[in-house]
Amino acid sequence: KQWYQRRVAITAGILSRGVDAIRADFDEPGSVLMANHGYCSQELVNLCMMGYSAQNVFNKTIDLDGKILKGIREPRDIGLLTLYEYYKVFEVGSYLKHASSGIWVICSESHYSVLFSKNSVCTPHKTTSLYYYDSLGNQDALYKLTVYPDSGVISTDEDPPLELCIRTLWKNAKVDWNGAEPLL
């Protein structure tokens, strides 16, 4: 049933934007919405989040020796935090990182989940309560996390992936799982 619902949502996004407009969004003509192994491409994630299929997550556009690479056009309500940024594969621009609604899609370990605050005003230098939900985790309840920014914590590859994603916005933050077992 869930796969059917996902297909309907993806199809609605494609039909709403239009195939020609989606192709025009791409930086490269041969780009796809579904990547290897049936995973969503960044273009599909951006289509679902923003209504257009930018291939990148940086702000605006970048001119790379005459080749224009398209990113996120303007600040967004819903943001993105990713493990890829921790590993320095790419950098998420401020338009996605500083989500005005206090909701972030988390890209970690080859799937997506959600992190949100009940208070939409989240600043990277203020203690923040966040809630985490992962539909693949068969969770009975939300995880409540407390983020203490600028606590001097230095990330290591041994840290839980969610904490590494969180620290791409809240630098050197201590993440308190409030009694819950950290997700590895």
Side-chain angles (χ1 to χ4, degrees):
K1 184 177 178 178
Q2 286 182 346
W3 176 240
Y4 175 77
Q5 292 168 339
R6 287 184 204 124
R7 262 191 205 175
V8 169
I10 290 168
T11 302
I14 292 169
L15 293 175
S16 294
R17 179 74 176 145
V19 174
D20 291 337
I22 289 171
R23 286 189 179 133
D25 291 339
F26 294 158
D27 292 337
E28 296 294 326
S31 298
V32 296
L33 295 176
M34 295 301 291
N36 294 335
H37 311 291
Y39 292 162
C40 294
S41 67
Q42 189 62 53
E43 295 88 338
L44 180 56
V45 172
N46 287 345
L47 176 64
C48 293
M49 288 177 58
M50 284 155 296
Y52 57 92
S53 297
Q55 286 186 270
N56 304 291
V57 294
F58 51 74
N59 296 349
K60 303 199 181 228
T61 59
I62 293 177
D63 185 337
L64 190 63
D65 295 326
K67 172 72 175 163
I68 302 299
L69 303 177
K70 300 172 216 161
I72 307 307
R73 298 174 188 161
E74 67 272 328
R76 305 306 302 181
D77 294 333
I78 298 175
L80 176 74
L81 302 176
T82 175
L83 199 55
Y84 292 117
E85 183 168 10
Y86 167 75
Y87 287 117
K88 301 193 183 322
V89 174
F90 56 76
E91 184 176 341
V92 175
S94 62
Y95 289 173
L96 283 178
K97 195 173 285 185
H98 300 285
S100 63
S101 67
I103 301 170
W104 294 268
V105 171
I106 301 294
C107 175
S108 174
E109 308 279 282
S110 300
H111 76 279
Y112 296 90
S113 52
V114 66
L115 183 72
F116 64 94
S117 171
K118 291 184 178 179
N119 175 4
S120 64
V121 179
C122 293
T123 61
H125 300 290
K126 184 178 176 189
T127 299
T128 305
S129 292
L130 299 172
Y131 298 85
Y132 178 71
Y133 180 74
D134 181 349
S135 66
L136 294 179
N138 295 320
Q139 289 178 233
D140 293 328
L142 295 172
Y143 284 90
K144 180 181 179 185
L145 308 172
T146 305
V147 177
Y148 300 95
D150 304 316
S151 295
V153 174
I154 304 299
S155 295
T156 71
D157 292 349
E158 305 298 317
D159 292 341
L162 179 59
E163 290 185 24
L164 299 176
C165 291
I166 289 170
R167 289 189 195 116
T168 64
L169 176 56
W170 287 276
K171 303 296 183 199
N172 303 315
K174 177 183 183 263
V175 178
D176 184 350
W177 289 76
N178 296 303
E181 187 71 29
L183 298 172
L184 299 177

